[in-house]
């Protein structure tokens, strides 16, 4: 029984990171129809920033995390204004935006190698100790990932569905020109969405960095999982991406309980292929109001 609970907990913890990354990609795509291939590099930048603030400057973890989220959110807004917005004004911008974000992804990886080198770096646990409940032992750091990820996504959902900014985002997502005609600044809404998406990626990096290494390529694997989550949840669906993230984490956790860990990605993407074979629009497409 305890091993079943551990499998479920591990699945939820892994899934919460996938949900954070995937929901950011889905939010941008749902609002602007842009697939941001540099999303993983925003995660990488956040990893290095929290490393700098928490380890190099020895700031309090909460302050280091806050500064990291502010800066990575600003980076997301800057990318949108400097790279995406000018391209969206052109005809046939879809391929140009894809090429631009792929180029930006490669450029950011190369810049990270120049600035921070190719060494793999680690952060100490933000929360030490192990929670023991009966036969179940789980590091507090892993439990904190699940708790904070759920809180952050709940806050984001509140902003989207219960605030004026959220209403402007949803109106722009439905029809940007009509939204502009009634006085909603669609361009600024696009910038805000990129900033929120970057903050979600940054939060994932902060929560995950004590468990993995920070390196110039750390965002690549999570970008692929993020795209898988977006496809599973239904393109552009924030709620669908969150649900799909947890589902994918559970599928992986159950899979590696019966197969070698190296099969984790094989299991995840086999499941993705099976799903899109039967439901090409994703599991939760059209269920978001």
């Amino acid at each position: 029984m305890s091993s079943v609970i551990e499998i479920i907990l591990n699945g939820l913890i892994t899934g919460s990171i996938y949900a954070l990354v995937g929901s950011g990609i889905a939010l941008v795509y749902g609002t602007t129809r842009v697939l941001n291939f540099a999303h993983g590099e925003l995660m990488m930048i956040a990893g290095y920033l929290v490393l700098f603030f928490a380890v190099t400057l020895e700031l309090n973890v909460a302050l280091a995390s806050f500064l990291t989220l502010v800066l990575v959110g600003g980076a997301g807004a800057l990318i949108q204004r400097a790279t995406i917005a000018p391209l969206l004004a052109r005809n046939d911008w879809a391929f140009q935006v894809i090429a631009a974000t792929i180029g930006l992804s490669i450029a950011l990886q190369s810049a990270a190698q120049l600035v921070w080198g190719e060494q793999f770096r680690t952060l100490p646990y933000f929360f030490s100790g192990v929670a023991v409940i009966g036969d179940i032992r789980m590091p507090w750091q892993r439990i904190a990932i699940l708790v904070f990820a759920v809180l952050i996504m709940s806050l984001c959902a509140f902003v989207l569905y219960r605030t004026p900014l959220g209403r402007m985002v949803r109106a722009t997502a439905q029809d940007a020109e009509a939204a502009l005609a009634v006085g909603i600044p669609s361009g600024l809404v696009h910038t805000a969405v990129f900033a929120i998406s970057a903050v979600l990626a940054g939060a994932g990096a902060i929560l995950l960095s004590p468990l993995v290494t920070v390196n110039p390529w750390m965002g690549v694997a999570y970008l692929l999982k993020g795209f898988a989550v977006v496809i599973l949840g239904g393109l552009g669906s924030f709620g669908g991406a969150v649900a799909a993230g947890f589902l994918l984490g559970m599928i992986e956790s159950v899979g590696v309980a019966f197969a070698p860990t190296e099969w984790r990605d094989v299991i995840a993407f086999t499941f993705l292929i099976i799903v899109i074979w039967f439901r090409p629009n994703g599991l939760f497409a059209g269920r978001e109001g």
Side-chain angles (χ1 to χ4, degrees):
M1 184 61 184
S2 60
S3 42
V4 172
I5 295 175
E6 285 184 9
I7 289 171
I8 293 173
L9 279 174
N10 284 325
L12 291 174
I13 291 165
T14 304
S16 66
I17 295 296
Y18 294 165
L20 271 176
V21 178
S23 61
I25 297 172
L27 183 61
V28 166
Y29 183 82
T31 308
T32 65
R33 297 297 181 267
V34 168
L35 277 176
N36 181 13
F37 285 83
H39 191 75
E41 278 57 55
L42 289 169
M43 195 173 178
M44 175 267 291
I45 290 171
Y48 277 112
L49 284 174
V50 74
L51 184 72
F52 172 73
F53 289 127
V55 176
T56 306
L57 298 186
E58 298 181 348
L59 296 182
N60 175 277
V61 169
L63 179 58
S65 300
F66 174 76
L67 292 174
T68 297
L69 292 179
V70 170
L71 290 177
V72 79
L78 180 63
I79 287 172
Q80 196 279 335
R81 298 302 290 181
T83 306
I84 308 298
L87 295 176
L88 291 181
R90 301 181 180 181
N91 295 324
D92 301 326
W93 51 263
F95 176 76
Q96 298 174 45
V97 169
I98 290 174
T101 56
I102 291 175
L104 184 62
S105 167
I106 296 170
L108 289 173
Q109 287 181 26
S110 300
Q113 291 178 57
L114 288 173
V115 175
W116 293 297
E118 298 183 355
Q119 299 93 340
F120 285 38
R121 306 184 186 191
T122 58
L123 273 80
Y125 276 21
F126 297 148
F127 301 92
S128 58
V130 177
V132 181
I133 305 174
D135 295 333
I136 301 171
R137 296 173 61 85
M138 185 69 64
W140 282 111
Q141 179 66 42
R142 293 181 64 80
I143 295 173
I145 288 176
L146 178 59
V147 172
F148 280 99
V150 170
L151 288 175
I152 291 166
M153 286 183 285
S154 299
L155 177 61
C156 190
F158 176 80
V159 171
L160 284 177
Y161 298 108
R162 293 288 184 271
T163 67
L165 174 60
R167 284 191 285 275
M168 288 193 289
V169 169
R170 286 183 287 129
T172 303
Q174 290 176 6
D175 191 329
E177 292 184 358
L180 187 62
V182 297
I184 295 175
S186 302
L188 291 179
V189 170
H190 287 178
T191 303
V193 164
F194 264 79
I196 295 171
S197 172
V199 167
L200 290 171
I206 292 169
L207 294 172
L208 195 63
S209 291
L211 301 182
V212 301
T213 56
V214 177
N215 61 79
W217 309 277
M218 69 176 289
V220 176
Y222 288 94
L223 177 69
L224 293 177
K225 291 295 174 65
F227 281 149
V229 163
V230 172
I231 294 169
L232 278 175
L235 285 173
S237 169
F238 178 83
V242 171
F246 282 105
L247 177 61
L248 191 64
M250 290 299 299
I251 293 292
E252 283 190 6
S253 183
V254 172
V256 297
F258 300 99
T261 306
E262 292 77 10
W263 282 70
R264 178 184 297 273
D265 291 342
V266 175
I267 293 167
F269 287 102
T270 300
F271 176 70
L272 172 65
I273 291 169
I274 293 172
V275 169
I276 60 177
W277 179 266
F278 291 101
R279 290 185 63 87
N281 294 324
L283 290 173
F284 309 102
R287 299 186 181 185
E288 190 165 307

